[in-house]
């Protein structure tokens, strides 16, 4: 058993937001069959949104590009899904939420409280939703205010998911910490684009989107490495993790736990595989505890 | 995989609202029942069942399909796939029942043909609103027995595919493949459930697809959480016991919508 911001996880792997998190049943499936230590929902906002037109996700040689556009049924529409996930999964369920300002974030958090999420993850990092996500998350003052507003209305841990599309992610992490965040999650996708050369059309319905998967792992490792030095609160690493080796690397950069997103493309049970791989690695190397390797890379040079 | 450029080689008018678009290049090694994502550039990308390894058969229902209907031979669209899990092919000597309603005949016709080639005995129940809407009757006719139902009684039995199904000894078939409007599929499901033959049946579901490749989770069905785009679109009857089939689906925002 592993403790993260007070939550008990059977292993340090967590389903990332926006992936298999639209319904309560699929969240439960990732916990049950996938072996995730915790699951994060799709990002939920104040009003129903259908998202961008398709194509909304394509696979590239080096990763995935997506521009979903925060589709969600709004917090009243999502309550029954969150309740189902809470009642039927044995792992912590974290509600990912978004809004355009501190008041909207607080409204959504309060609106979901009756379903008893184990924590909230604030999406201030989606790179392709106008007025939301990274539009909020690239402004340190706004990140601090949003975090403080949610902390004011909930009594469960609050994580803040950061965008790498900023000059210095540490300043945003520090703002979240000042606002009272219990942890930060790094990173969300990197801005990206693909063009169909036969027609000249941008491939994504939204024209541009966010890059995830293998290509972003080195960027995520660097962001986690930098945040680990700058912050007192735990850093949860996410970005391009598809194997236990990737997870160990992220943990050595300073991650207290890892989230996995695009890699469910290959197999839903990737969480069990990564969790078991980490355990076997710790045993082989003689580490008594995962804590012995969190931020290990900082001690080496 | 970025969308490949598919050139329309031929357009066949199947009925006033249904057209088949043949395209080049086609797909080799197709599993009947798999689907493709058809990108009508600048408009939308929609999932479509393949009616052959080089054709899609489309009903005009919304903005994207209307734009598709404006395309001419020589024009092109983007195509990704084939994706998902198709129907299980029978082995030689098996008796199969194919139940097709409306454009549900599109993915079932290559399945019935592959089953015939494999040496199965094929019986098709083909349903539509009226005679003019019966899809691929000739293709099914070439494979074995075809029982027809039309809502208006203009051909075959007046009524639904289930009216024919009720009169059959379903236990005599080794496999049952179903595709059509969800109301029809759920009626068939209930009938097969009552007759205790769900383990022989496979259903091809439609749900709103966002990513189409199994990552986003927009098409997951209750209570299993299985993804229609990747774990399906073809599911066994047993996988659908107690599911949302025939009750509700979800729209693009994830809200439940009654069937």
């Amino acid at each position: 058993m592993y403790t993260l911001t007070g939550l008990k996880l059977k292993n340090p792997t967590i389903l990332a937001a926006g992936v298999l998190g639209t319904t309560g049943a699929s969240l439960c499936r990732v916990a049950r069959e996938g072996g995730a230590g915790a699951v994060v929902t799709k990002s939920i906002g104040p009003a129903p949104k259908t998202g961008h037109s398709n194509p909304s996700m394509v696979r590239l040689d080096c990763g995935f590009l997506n521009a979903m556009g925060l589709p969600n049924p709004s917090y009243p529409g999502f309550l029954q899904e969150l309740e189902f996930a809470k009642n039927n999964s044995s792992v912590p369920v974290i509600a990912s939420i978004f809004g355009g300002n501190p008041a909207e974030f607080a409204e959504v958090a309060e609106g979901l409280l009756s379903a008893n999420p184990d924590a909230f993850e604030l999406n201030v990092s989606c790179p392709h939703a106008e007025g939301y996500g990274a539009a909020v998350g690239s402004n340190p003052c706004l990140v601090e205010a949003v975090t403080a507003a949610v902390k004011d209305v909930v009594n469960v841990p609050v994580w803040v998911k950061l965008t790498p599309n900023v000059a210095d992610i540490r300043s945003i992490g520090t703002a979240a910490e000042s606002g009272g965040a219990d942890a930060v999650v790094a990173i969300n996708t990197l801005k990206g684009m693909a063009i169909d050369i036969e027609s000249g059309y941008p491939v994504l319905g939204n024209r541009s989107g966010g890059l995830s998967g293998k290509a972003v792992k080195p960027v995520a490792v660097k962001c986690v490495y930098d945040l680990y030095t700058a912050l007192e609160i735990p850093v949860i690493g996410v970005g391009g993790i598809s194997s236990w080796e990737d997870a160990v690397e992220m943990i050595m950069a300073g991650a207290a736990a890892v989230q996995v997103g695009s890699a469910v493309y290959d197999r839903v049970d990737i969480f069990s595989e990564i969790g078991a791989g980490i355990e076997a690695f710790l045993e082989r190397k003689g580490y008594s505890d995962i804590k012995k390797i969190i931020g290990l890379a900082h001690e080496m040079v | 995989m970025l969308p490949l450029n598919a050139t329309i080689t031929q357009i066949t008018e199947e009925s006033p609202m249904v057209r088949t678009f043949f395209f080049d290049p086609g797909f080799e090694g197709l599993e009947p029942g798999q689907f493709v994502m058809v990108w009508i550039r600048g408009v939308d990308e929609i999932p479509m069942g393949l009616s052959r390894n080089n054709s899609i058969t489309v009903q005009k229902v919304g903005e994207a399909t209307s734009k598709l209907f404006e395309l001419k031979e020589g024009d092109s669209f983007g195509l990704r796939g084939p994706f998902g899990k198709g129907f299980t092919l029978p082995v030689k000597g098996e008796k199969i029942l194919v139940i097709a309603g409306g454009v549900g005949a599109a993915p079932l016709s290559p399945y019935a043909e592959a089953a015939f080639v494999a040496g199965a005995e094929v019986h098709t129940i083909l349903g539509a609103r009226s005679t003019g809407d019966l899809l691929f009757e000739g293709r099914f006719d070439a494979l074995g027995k075809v029982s027809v139902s039309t809502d208006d009684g203009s051909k075959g039995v007046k009524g639904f595919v289930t009216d024919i199904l009720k009169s059959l000894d379903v236990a005599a078939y080794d496999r049952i493949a179903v595709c059509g409007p969800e109301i029809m599929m759920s009626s068939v499901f209930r009938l097969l459930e009552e007759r205790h033959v769900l383990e022989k049946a496979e259903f091809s579901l439609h749900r709103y697809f966002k990513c189409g490749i199994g990552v986003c989770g927009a098409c997951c069905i209750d209570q299993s959480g299985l993804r229609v785009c990747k774990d399906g679109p073809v599911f066994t009857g047993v996988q659908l016991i107690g599911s949302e089939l025939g009750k509700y689906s979800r729209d693009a925002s994830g809200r439940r919508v009654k069937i």
Side-chain angles (χ1 to χ4, degrees):
Chain A
M1 199 54 88
Y2 181 72
T3 306
L4 177 68
T5 66
L7 308 187
K8 299 259 184 282
L9 276 59
K10 66 181 178 205
N11 70 52
T13 68
I14 304 166
L15 172 72
V19 176
L20 303 181
T22 305
T23 72
S26 72
L27 289 163
C28 291
R29 180 181 175 216
V30 173
R32 187 180 63 243
E33 288 172 36
V39 292
V40 183
T41 70
K42 177 86 198 143
S43 292
I44 303 302
K49 266 168 80 78
T50 54
H52 301 312
S53 62
N54 283 343
S56 52
M57 186 167 193
V58 291
R59 188 161 69 98
L60 310 172
D61 293 337
C62 62
F64 296 85
L65 265 181
N66 90 80
M68 295 286 160
L70 295 171
N72 82 97
S74 79
Y75 62 85
F78 191 67
L79 267 178
Q80 63 183 343
E81 305 295 344
L82 187 55
E83 281 164 3
F84 184 94
K86 275 293 295 175
N87 295 336
N88 295 281
S89 94
S90 53
V91 308
V93 179
I94 294 104
S96 173
I97 62 170
F98 74 91
N101 53 53
E104 280 187 4
F105 268 94
E107 177 194 342
V108 178
E110 273 193 299
L112 291 174
L113 271 179
S114 64
N116 295 314
D118 293 281
F120 284 94
E121 182 180 285
L122 314 188
N123 179 352
V124 291
S125 42
C126 174
H128 47 75
E130 212 169 310
Y132 297 111
V136 175
S138 46
N139 177 339
C141 296
L142 208 43
V143 169
E144 184 174 342
V146 159
T147 310
V150 176
K151 283 294 288 183
D152 267 353
V153 295
V154 306
N155 53 9
V156 292
V158 173
W159 304 350
V160 180
K161 186 166 178 180
L162 308 176
T163 172
N165 299 309
V166 290
D168 182 7
I169 197 169
R170 286 172 298 192
S171 65
I172 310 292
T174 306
E177 189 173 68
S178 304
D182 298 276
V184 293
V185 182
I187 56 175
N188 203 316
T189 53
L190 283 147
K191 285 185 184 181
M193 183 170 190
I195 293 164
D196 173 42
I197 62 166
E198 288 294 334
S199 63
Y201 273 89
V203 173
L204 293 174
N206 185 53
R207 291 176 285 182
S208 67
L211 180 67
S212 65
K214 279 197 184 309
V216 310
K217 197 188 76 178
V219 179
V221 169
K222 168 65 172 160
C223 287
V224 168
Y225 187 86
D226 288 351
L227 288 163
Y228 180 79
T229 312
L231 307 181
E232 298 292 323
I233 55 176
V235 182
I236 298 161
V238 52
I241 296 172
S242 64
S243 67
W244 67 265
E245 291 95 332
D246 294 337
V248 167
E249 183 182 359
M250 195 67 92
I251 293 164
M252 286 184 171
V258 297
Q259 293 187 351
V260 178
S262 318
V264 302
Y265 174 84
D266 296 311
R267 51 202 180 281
V268 171
D269 66 353
I270 183 110
F271 303 89
S272 306
E273 192 182 303
I274 292 176
I278 295 172
E279 281 300 314
F281 174 79
L282 294 175
E283 199 177 314
R284 171 162 67 83
K285 301 289 275 186
Y287 293 113
S288 56
D289 192 297
I290 193 172
K291 291 193 180 68
K292 302 285 184 207
I293 63 164
I294 297 174
L296 184 68
H298 294 263
E299 297 164 22
M300 306 310 287
V301 287
Chain B
M1 170 207 294
L2 289 177
L4 65 89
N5 188 62
T7 304
I8 300 171
T9 54
Q10 190 190 327
I11 301 172
T12 309
E13 186 126 347
E14 308 287 359
S15 75
M17 298 298 272
V18 178
R19 278 181 201 170
T20 295
F21 296 82
F22 290 82
F23 54 81
D24 182 57
F27 296 102
E28 295 301 323
L30 176 72
E31 200 178 293
Q34 286 186 302
F35 70 95
V36 288
M37 294 298 285
V38 180
W39 178 33
I40 300 107
R41 296 176 178 112
V43 183
D44 206 351
E45 187 193 44
I46 49 172
M48 295 295 317
L50 286 154
S51 52
R52 291 178 190 81
N53 66 4
N54 67 338
S55 75
I56 51 170
T57 299
V58 185
Q59 185 168 25
K60 192 172 167 181
V61 286
E63 190 196 1
T65 48
S66 296
K67 286 282 178 190
L68 185 59
F69 270 50
E70 288 173 18
L71 298 183
K72 306 273 176 283
E73 287 171 13
D75 289 343
S76 66
F77 46 70
L79 208 54
R80 293 193 288 155
F83 294 131
K85 186 187 150 296
F87 292 101
T88 310
L89 276 181
V91 295
K92 193 174 177 185
E94 281 189 333
K95 239 180 125 177
I96 70 163
L97 181 62
V98 172
I99 307 173
V103 283
L108 283 173
S109 46
Y111 172 69
E113 283 162 354
F116 178 79
V117 169
E121 187 184 324
V122 182
H123 177 195
T124 304
I125 305 177
L126 187 61
R129 260 172 283 184
S130 69
T131 313
D133 299 312
L134 287 165
L135 195 58
F136 299 140
E137 194 182 356
R139 288 177 75 184
F140 290 112
D141 253 338
L143 310 172
K145 186 179 171 191
V146 180
S147 308
V148 170
S149 74
T150 50
D151 298 4
D152 63 2
S154 52
K155 188 165 187 184
V157 171
K158 182 178 181 344
F160 306 117
V161 293
T162 39
D163 294 317
I164 295 172
L165 185 60
K166 276 175 198 160
S167 66
L168 297 180
D169 173 19
V170 284
Y173 296 92
D174 298 295
R175 292 184 184 282
I176 302 166
V178 192
C179 187
E182 188 145 334
I183 294 283
M184 176 209 108
M185 288 203 293
S186 67
S187 304
V188 170
F189 180 92
R190 281 197 302 274
L191 213 143
L192 298 181
E193 193 174 34
E194 283 164 19
R195 307 241 179 126
H196 309 290
V197 292
L198 275 184
E199 75 282 355
K200 295 178 180 180
E202 289 182 319
F203 296 79
S204 178
L205 265 60
H206 10 249
R207 282 293 176 269
Y208 180 79
F209 288 175
K210 198 110 189 124
C211 80
I213 56 174
V215 177
C216 78
C219 65
C220 290
I221 50 166
D222 289 342
Q223 309 286 329
S224 59
L226 291 169
R227 300 160 292 181
V228 174
C229 75
K230 188 143 180 172
D231 303 307
V234 176
F235 293 98
T236 66
V238 174
Q239 281 177 305
L240 297 174
I241 293 172
S243 76
E244 66 183 45
L245 176 75
K247 299 181 188 114
Y248 58 88
S249 62
R250 287 178 172 81
D251 68 11
S253 77
R255 271 182 300 193
R256 287 185 190 182
V257 182
K258 274 194 165 180
I259 298 285

